[in-house]
Amino acid sequence: MSPLTRRTLIAGGIASAGATVLAPTTANAVAYPFTLGVASGEPAPDGFVAWTRLAPNPLAPDGLGGMSAADVTVEWQVSADQRFTQVVKSGTATAVRAWAHSVHVEVTGLQPGREYHYRFRALGFVSGVGRAVTAPAPGTSPALTMLFTSCSHYEAGYFTAYRRMAEENPHLVLHLGDYLYEGAASTTNVRKHAPSPEISGLADYRVRHAQYKTDPDLQAAHAAAPWLVVWDDHELENNYANLVRNDSSPAGDFTARRAAAYKAYYEHMPLRPAQAPTAHNMQLYRRVRWGSLATFHMLDTRQYRDDQACGDGTKVCPEADAPGRTLTGAAQETWLLDGMRQRLGTWDFLGQQVFFAQKLASAAGAKSMDSWDGYSANRDRLQRGWDAAGLKNTVVLTGDVHRSWASNLMLDYTAQDRVVGTELVTTSVTSGGDGNAADNGLSALNPHVKFHKNLRGYVRTVTTPDQVAVDFRFVDKVTVRDYPVKTVQSYVVQAGNPGLQAP
Ligand code: FE
Ligand code: CA
């Protein structure tokens, strides 16, 4: 549908629904401003965040999306039906230039455990319609279909996995980091990054985010369900650690670069205003409850970590096991264990970025310094902490490595003593390009690691009070558009019995 047709049809719908009708803002864009789609996130029992950003010219090099006015009033509506005949909430928000004309509307006053639809109007145009779902009420535990993925490199392939996720009509989607990549445009991939150089300033990060958000498959996934997002490294720079840069290019103040990257990330994600950054700091770790069924502890393993030991890479490095090292920072570690001990729901899902289980790369003990293996004391404190509290339903959800893995978490990996949790690692949406269905190598060095597949896709989970049913979902190619998705491996995780079981 053309923007003009959409404008004609749906503008009438807004008027007939009785929403406040505002005079068009003068001296502003005349082109369709909702080129980046709509998104919802942070579901609560009484509402969710509804996001959009006005950008009639999304790739404008100044990062302002073709907007000229300082402030624009944006109307929003939430309806019980897709045609907006049952509008239950409406209001206005102000899209301001300082935040790239994004809006993060915290909708409240809705019913728990219900499906809603939302849309926006600004500058005389009406947005596409998004679907959101509210969390169930505390004390209830209806089944939850949640999909999670990570690592969506625009150039490496088409976002078919996002399209397939949208088609599953989930209640909730998690993106566990590397939502975009900061690198320079390549000449050998199926698509080309904008702007061309490695991004480092605010305008650059905004344009790159806008480019990703113009993808129709990504827009479909955002419009299909509320998301919970956390970043990994590439939203700023490969393998950075806190304020320690990975390499010296591009030159410039890394603290300022972090501030720019965090600000652009917030501007483009359906996060609450409580997450808006101050300078180079952003409170991203947070808890989201899903009734009494599950608690999502969304972690930030980049902003507070010690520098990678032994200069990063995969190597033998005794320093990685030093007791004082931290990946989460002390405050987040305390916050996580305190939250888990509250037993807010049957299941504790840790939505986070880097490989959690031990994974030896050689008999001599080489391990990845960027993952939890580079911070093993931090992992050990967490595992012992939740085990001492008697918690048996911890499921760690992971991205980053562009492959799918499934592991039992062991209290002692060397002795292979006692399973204390489960880790599900999603593969990438595209990063790494087309995979290899035959590649499922497992190492005898890691008997607790049960599954490994090098294909692109996502993980589907269906959670009830009794179990989490897990399907690893893959597409055969991403360099060719529109492949179907298929389940290659399934497990169940039983409540009270940590670890992977046959379905
Ligand atoms: Fe990645
Ligand atoms: Ca990463």
Side-chain angles (χ1 to χ4, degrees):
M1 186 180 292
S2 75
L4 191 64
T5 316
R6 176 164 29 211
R7 174 185 186 174
T8 309
L9 284 179
I10 307 185
I14 276 207
S16 67
T20 307
V21 178
L22 298 174
T25 312
T26 54
N28 216 308
V30 292
Y32 183 66
F34 298 106
T35 61
L36 308 183
V38 300
S40 70
E42 308 298 297
D46 68 338
F48 54 87
V49 171
W51 171 93
T52 194
R53 181 190 158 205
L54 308 178
N57 181 12
L59 303 188
D62 66 359
L64 291 172
M67 294 292 291
S68 55
D71 294 356
V72 176
T73 299
V74 179
E75 292 175 77
W76 57 268
Q77 287 184 320
V78 174
S79 175
D81 73 313
Q82 212 165 353
R83 300 179 60 81
F84 287 82
T85 61
Q86 303 170 54
V87 173
V88 294
K89 278 278 181 178
S90 60
T92 61
T94 305
V96 303
R97 185 185 179 92
W99 295 98
H101 298 96
S102 61
V103 294
H104 301 75
V105 177
E106 291 183 291
V107 181
T108 59
L110 304 180
Q111 297 297 309
R114 291 270 296 273
E115 179 182 88
Y116 291 96
H117 297 84
Y118 61 96
R119 65 183 179 185
F120 301 92
R121 184 164 72 167
L123 305 170
F125 292 89
V126 176
S127 73
V129 173
R131 167 184 176 265
V133 178
T134 51
T140 68
S141 297
L144 163 65
T145 299
M146 182 274 286
L147 313 178
F148 68 100
T149 195
S150 73
C151 293
S152 29
H153 196 301
Y154 185 81
E155 297 184 317
Y158 299 106
F159 288 167
T160 309
Y162 280 144
R163 174 71 58 178
R164 300 293 167 253
M165 291 168 75
E167 290 164 356
E168 301 223 22
N169 211 33
H171 300 106
L172 186 64
V173 170
L174 270 58
H175 197 293
L176 300 176
D178 294 354
Y179 183 92
L180 60 62
Y181 285 73
E182 82 283 15
S186 152
T187 53
T188 55
N189 285 318
V190 299
R191 302 194 285 190
K192 210 166 162 49
H193 267 153
S196 287
E198 181 170 336
I199 53 176
S200 61
L202 180 57
D204 290 351
Y205 280 104
R206 282 170 166 168
V207 173
R208 187 66 59 86
H209 271 284
Q211 181 185 35
Y212 277 61
K213 277 283 196 312
T214 57
D215 181 275
D217 297 325
L218 175 55
Q219 288 193 9
H222 274 300
W227 285 35
L228 298 176
V229 298
V230 283
W231 56 40
D232 190 26
D233 52 341
H234 287 285
E235 287 87 347
L236 168 49
E237 188 213 23
N238 178 47
N239 281 20
Y240 79 96
N242 196 330
L243 285 170
V244 180
R245 66 198 310 159
N246 184 52
D247 60 40
S248 56
S249 173
D253 176 18
F254 189 73
T255 303
R257 185 179 178 187
R258 191 171 104 169
Y262 285 10
K263 183 165 165 46
Y265 183 82
Y266 171 74
E267 289 168 349
H268 291 84
M269 293 295 163
L271 290 165
R272 293 187 185 278
Q275 269 64 59
T278 302
H280 59 279
N281 298 306
M282 184 164 148
Q283 175 69 48
L284 189 60
Y285 68 82
R286 63 203 186 278
R287 248 186 288 285
V288 173
R289 296 183 61 182
W290 197 266
S292 293
L293 180 67
T295 306
F296 292 90
H297 309 266
M298 304 303 291
L299 306 187
D300 177 352
T301 62
R302 284 290 159 193
Q303 192 173 182
Y304 313 104
R305 66 160 70 194
D306 291 329
D307 195 13
Q308 289 91 348
C310 298
D312 209 351
T314 297
K315 53 188 61 164
V316 178
C317 175
E319 184 199 331
D321 302 318
R325 287 181 57 72
T326 184
L327 185 68
T328 57
Q332 184 175 198
E333 180 180 325
T334 300
W335 167 89
L336 175 57
L337 281 175
D338 284 352
M340 293 177 74
R341 290 189 195 106
Q342 290 179 51
R343 297 172 177 268
L344 297 170
T346 301
W347 297 94
D348 288 300
F349 288 107
L350 276 54
Q352 58 97 45
Q353 297 77 25
V354 290
F355 211 96
F356 192 88
Q358 177 173 291
K359 183 152 68 76
L360 298 178
S362 75
K367 300 179 287 190
S368 164
M369 293 298 107
D370 189 58
S371 70
W372 288 85
D373 272 336
Y375 307 80
S376 61
N378 197 170
R379 175 178 63 206
D380 194 52
R381 288 191 298 272
L382 287 175
Q383 292 191 156
R384 289 184 185 281
W386 82 57
D387 183 61
L391 300 174
K392 298 192 178 302
N393 299 329
T394 304
V395 181
V396 176
L397 311 174
T398 302
D400 180 51
V401 286
H402 308 173
R403 305 241 178 148
S404 280
W405 302 80
S407 302
N408 291 337
L409 300 178
M410 311 300 296
L411 196 62
D412 182 330
Y413 290 94
T414 305
Q416 288 286 298
D417 178 38
R418 210 147 62 72
V419 180
V420 295
T422 313
E423 181 176 23
L424 308 173
V425 181
T426 178
T427 188
S428 55
V429 174
T430 51
S431 304
D434 295 336
N436 175 359
D439 181 355
N440 58 358
L442 292 172
S443 168
L445 296 169
N446 304 297
H448 54 282
V449 177
K450 306 298 185 187
F451 174 65
H452 169 210
K453 182 63 70 178
N454 177 17
L455 284 172
R456 310 290 79 83
Y458 55 93
V459 181
R460 179 174 64 198
T461 61
V462 178
T463 301
T464 66
D466 297 329
Q467 66 170 37
V468 182
V470 181
D471 294 313
F472 285 92
R473 307 271 284 160
F474 299 103
V475 294
D476 278 336
K477 283 188 188 301
V478 293
T479 57
V480 177
R481 289 185 190 273
D482 213 33
Y483 264 73
V485 68
K486 60 188 177 182
T487 295
V488 167
Q489 181 76 37
S490 299
Y491 293 101
V492 296
V493 182
Q494 301 166 337
N497 182 26
L500 301 156
Q501 308 288 337

